[in-house]
Amino acid sequence: MSRAVTLAGYALLFAGLVACQMAALLAGRIPTLGQAASKVARRPLGRWLLLAAWLWVGWHLFVRSHVAS
């Protein structure tokens, strides 16, 4: 995949998260992202999954890739 497609995918994912958070705050029928994360983190497996997701996002966003010239 090209870098532009990857960045567009991350932008789309971010926009979806913001839309879900706004819908939760305005409608009140669905849990906010913080409430959902708290519910997942109640169990040890959920905490491990949240840690794995955090590490994956951090790796893909903050590790610089080497572009061969």
Side-chain angles (χ1 to χ4, degrees):
M1 273 200 284
S2 71
R3 186 172 195 270
V5 172
T6 302
L7 291 176
Y10 280 122
L12 188 63
L13 181 63
F14 180 73
L17 288 172
V18 170
C20 285
Q21 182 70 15
M22 293 303 296
L25 291 174
L26 295 175
R29 291 181 291 166
I30 58 174
T32 63
L33 296 174
Q35 291 168 339
S38 293
K39 187 165 184 146
V40 170
R42 288 182 187 159
R43 300 195 181 265
L45 178 61
R47 286 191 290 272
W48 280 105
L49 291 174
L50 286 174
L51 175 64
W54 183 257
L55 290 173
W56 185 87
V57 168
W59 179 264
H60 285 86
L61 290 179
F62 299 117
V63 174
R64 297 176 64 126
S65 64
H66 176 70
V67 179
S69 341

